[in-house]
């Protein structure tokens, strides 16, 4: 089968001050076409003020099989959270 | 020749007019509390001010690991050691968030590192004081992180988007730092007479440097007015300092410790504490690099950077080799 147009991941900034968020993907031949397609597909109702497109092939994702060894070690480190520490009620602003 | 000169002149005035228009639009956006994002047009002075402030903030997080690292192997329990390690990891992460925000302004990580090592970039004067006893680690969490939080909370609404977003992450993580410090101080303050003395001694030494963290007084803070207008800063140094004093004094009282300021007095008319004169000569000396351990701090950073350069080089060499093989 002939190879189709490359895939691009689309990120939209909803408004100034917020980070771009992943919303989905489009197929396009080049970056400009990808931005145009993303604009048509994902921002028809003023969903954003800025777009990023990134070639999907350029994204390296963590392996779902590694999720346990990557993320579970954070589970038993409750001392990273402020609520772990007891401060008397009469002490304010802390 | 003439025509060339003439067209050049036209170009220059066209650029100037264009710049004035963009400048006015920029000022209006900032005044309306809009966020400025990396690809938006911004005045060169705004970009430079941000690079200076964000990179110095990042350097402070990185250098700030050193006084705490000093006690890592000597923390009095496994619990305290795990907490201190987690805090130091956070400081490193905060430095990285901030460097990344500064990089969106067109400055490279290496340029910033170089500026710190060459002494061209500053970092918070507080980290040029030594951590002499274990109580200093509690005092740093309580006072230094407490002061940092008051500085940083308004920065979550700073006008430059990437900086504001970095500050949101940092503030979320910072609360644990202050609470673990206060808890540690509480334990010492309720401990043996020797531990109580240690806690008081730490407060005595860290109180004034903590007040200096808010920067020079408003009438002697040259960049403040411009930064306030550009919404880079949202509160004045003196206002934040007063707020810090007002919330911290009752916290010290709850510990049974005494703030080392004989002039400290509640002023019912102002509903704030009056406080004694700050030794600004000391502050400027520390800014100039005359702090007790300033030289050690920068030397530690340079040593770490240089002695570990082989790790960066080996990683890059490995990747180059892999790419060669694939090609």
């Amino acid at each position: 089968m002939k190879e189709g147009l490359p895939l691009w991941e689309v990120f939209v900034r909803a408004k100034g001050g917020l980070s771009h968020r992943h919303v989905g993907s489009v197929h396009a031949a080049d970056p400009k076409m990808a931005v145009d397609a993303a604009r048509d597909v994902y921002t028809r109702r003023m969903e954003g003020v800025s777009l990023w497109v990134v070639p999907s092939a350029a994204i390296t994702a963590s392996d779902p099989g590694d999720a346990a060894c990557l993320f579970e070690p954070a589970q038993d480190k409750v001392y990273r959270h402020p609520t772990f520490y007891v401060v008397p009620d009469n002490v304010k602003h802390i | 020749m003439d025509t060339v000169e003439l067209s050049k002149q036209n170009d220059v005035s066209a650029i100037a007019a264009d710049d004035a228009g963009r400048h006015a639009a920029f000022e209006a956006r900032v005044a309306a509390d809009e966020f400025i994002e990396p690809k938006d047009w911004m005045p060169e002075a705004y970009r430079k001010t941000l690079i200076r402030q964000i990179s110095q903030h990042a350097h402070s997080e990185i250098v700030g690991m050193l006084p705490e690292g000093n006690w890592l192997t000597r923390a009095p329990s496994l619990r305290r050691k795990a907490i201190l390690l987690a805090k130091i990891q956070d400081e490193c992460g905060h430095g990285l968030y901030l460097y990344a925000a500064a990089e969106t302004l067109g400055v490279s990580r290496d340029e910033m590192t170089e500026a710190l090592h060459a002494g061209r970039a500053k970092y918070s004067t507080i980290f040029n004081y030594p951590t002499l006893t274990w109580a200093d680690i509690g005092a740093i969490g309580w006072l230094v992180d407490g002061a940092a939080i008051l500085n940083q909370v308004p920065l979550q609404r700073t006008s430059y988007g990437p900086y504001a977003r970095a500050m949101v992450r940092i503030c979320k993580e910072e609360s644990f730092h202050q609470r673990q410090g206060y808890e540690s101080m509480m334990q010492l303050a309720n401990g043996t007479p020797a531990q109580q003395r240690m806690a008081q001694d730490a407060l005595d030494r860290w109180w004034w440097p903590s007040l200096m963290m808010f920067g020079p007084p408003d009438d002697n803070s040259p960049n403040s007015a411009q930064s306030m207008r550009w919404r880079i800063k949202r509160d004045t140094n003196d206002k934040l300092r007063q707020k810090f004093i007002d919330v911290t004094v009752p916290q010290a009282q709850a510990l049974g410790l005494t703030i080392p300021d004989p002039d400290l007095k509640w002023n019912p008319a102002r509903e704030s504490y009056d406080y004694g004169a700050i030794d600004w000569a000391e502050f400027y000396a520390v800014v100039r690099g005359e702090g007790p351990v300033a030289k050690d701090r920068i030397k530690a950073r340079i040593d770490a950077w240089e002695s570990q350069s082989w790790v960066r080089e080996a990683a890059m060499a490995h990747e180059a080799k892999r790419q060669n093989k694939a090609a």
Side-chain angles (χ1 to χ4, degrees):
Chain A
M1 210 167 86
K2 225 171 74 177
E3 239 174 79
L5 295 176
L7 190 64
W8 303 73
E9 298 303 319
V10 179
F11 299 78
V12 175
R13 188 199 301 288
K15 58 176 190 171
L18 299 180
S19 38
H20 288 81
R21 270 189 70 179
H22 185 242
V23 289
S25 52
V26 292
H27 286 275
D30 60 63
K32 162 102 177 46
M33 187 178 172
V35 168
D36 290 347
R39 178 253 186 204
D40 291 345
V41 176
Y42 291 105
T43 62
R44 290 193 308 281
R45 289 178 181 78
M46 298 190 298
E47 285 91 341
V49 295
S50 167
L51 282 166
W52 280 354
V53 293
V54 179
S56 305
I59 290 178
T60 306
S62 62
D63 183 341
D66 291 342
C69 70
L70 285 177
F71 308 116
E72 270 174 21
Q75 272 177 13
D76 63 353
K77 295 181 177 60
V78 282
Y79 50 84
R80 283 179 177 157
H81 297 273
T83 43
F84 179 72
Y85 303 92
V86 182
V87 171
D89 289 343
N90 63 334
V91 178
K92 304 288 182 209
H93 306 289
I94 201 159
Chain B
M1 187 77 180
D2 272 342
T3 46
V4 171
E5 280 302 306
L6 202 66
S7 69
K8 217 188 219 169
Q9 204 102 68
N10 281 344
D11 277 358
V12 169
S13 50
I15 289 170
D18 189 28
D19 251 22
R22 287 189 296 189
H23 214 113
F26 170 87
E27 296 279 349
R29 286 187 63 195
V30 168
D33 275 335
E34 280 184 37
F35 285 96
I36 305 302
E37 295 292 349
K39 295 200 130 188
D40 294 337
W41 184 88
M42 62 186 84
E44 206 38 42
Y46 177 81
R47 181 190 303 274
K48 286 220 168 88
T49 302
L50 277 172
I51 290 176
R52 195 191 68 230
Q53 181 169 331
I54 302 173
S55 68
Q56 296 191 2
H57 195 162
H59 297 326
S60 299
E61 302 282 355
I62 298 299
V63 176
M65 289 192 280
L66 297 171
E68 299 190 310
N70 180 35
W71 281 91
L72 200 48
T73 57
R74 292 174 291 163
S77 68
L78 185 57
R79 179 179 183 274
R80 287 286 165 205
K81 188 172 185 160
I83 292 167
L84 185 56
L85 188 57
K87 182 175 188 296
I88 294 170
Q89 282 182 317
D90 277 0
E91 307 300 358
C92 184
H94 295 176
L96 299 185
Y97 304 157
L98 289 162
Y99 282 132
E103 285 179 86
T104 65
L105 291 157
V107 64
S108 77
R109 183 78 60 94
D110 283 358
E111 282 174 277
M112 290 186 274
T113 305
E114 221 278 304
L116 173 69
H117 293 178
R120 290 195 309 278
K122 305 284 180 204
Y123 54 89
S124 181
T125 51
I126 195 81
F127 302 118
N128 283 338
Y129 293 87
T131 39
L132 301 178
T133 74
W134 168 252
D136 289 13
I137 298 304
I140 286 178
W142 170 36
L143 300 172
V144 175
D145 289 275
I149 288 171
L150 284 180
N151 258 326
Q152 289 170 348
V153 164
L155 288 177
Q156 294 177 97
R157 286 280 310 147
T158 194
S159 59
Y160 187 58
Y163 191 25
R165 290 190 288 277
M167 293 318 306
V168 170
R169 288 188 77 100
I170 290 175
C171 285
K172 220 163 84 186
E173 297 173 356
E174 202 82 69
S175 168
F176 129 57
H177 297 181
Q178 193 191 14
R179 286 174 71 94
Q180 66 80 32
Y182 193 79
E183 190 207 58
S184 178
M185 289 299 276
M186 234 165 34
Q187 210 160 12
L188 295 172
N190 295 322
T192 64
Q195 286 175 321
Q196 288 169 4
R197 278 196 302 277
M198 214 162 88
Q200 181 62 54
D201 166 64
L203 174 57
D204 289 349
R205 282 181 293 106
W206 289 95
W207 175 252
W208 292 104
S210 297
L211 297 191
M212 293 176 197
M213 279 179 71
F214 295 94
D218 294 346
D219 50 20
N220 199 10
S221 180
N223 303 320
S224 270
Q226 177 67 280
S227 286
M228 296 278 285
R229 204 160 56 85
W230 277 339
R231 305 280 204 274
I232 294 175
K233 268 176 89 136
R234 316 269 329 184
D235 289 290
T236 73
N237 296 349
D238 283 333
K239 193 182 154 203
L240 289 168
R241 185 166 16 245
Q242 181 72 60
K243 196 170 172 192
F244 174 75
I245 293 168
D246 291 346
V247 302
T248 309
V249 171
Q251 294 167 359
Q253 287 165 345
L255 291 170
L257 299 178
T258 310
I259 303 272
D261 177 359
D263 297 322
L264 189 78
K265 211 173 111 213
W266 179 251
N267 182 331
R270 286 202 308 125
E271 297 204 325
S272 267
Y273 283 93
D274 292 336
Y275 55 97
I278 294 174
D279 183 358
W280 291 111
E282 175 181 319
F283 172 78
Y284 288 111
V286 179
V287 168
R288 283 195 306 271
E290 294 165 28
V293 289
K295 287 194 179 62
D296 298 350
R297 297 291 186 241
I298 288 302
K299 186 179 178 306
R301 288 311 312 150
I302 294 174
D303 286 352
W305 179 253
E306 287 177 355
S307 69
Q308 284 145 43
S309 66
W310 70 270
V311 179
R312 297 186 294 275
E313 285 156 18
M316 292 301 286
H318 176 72
E319 174 58 14
K321 208 162 127 187
R322 207 186 57 85
Q323 293 221 356
N324 255 342
K325 251 188 207 152

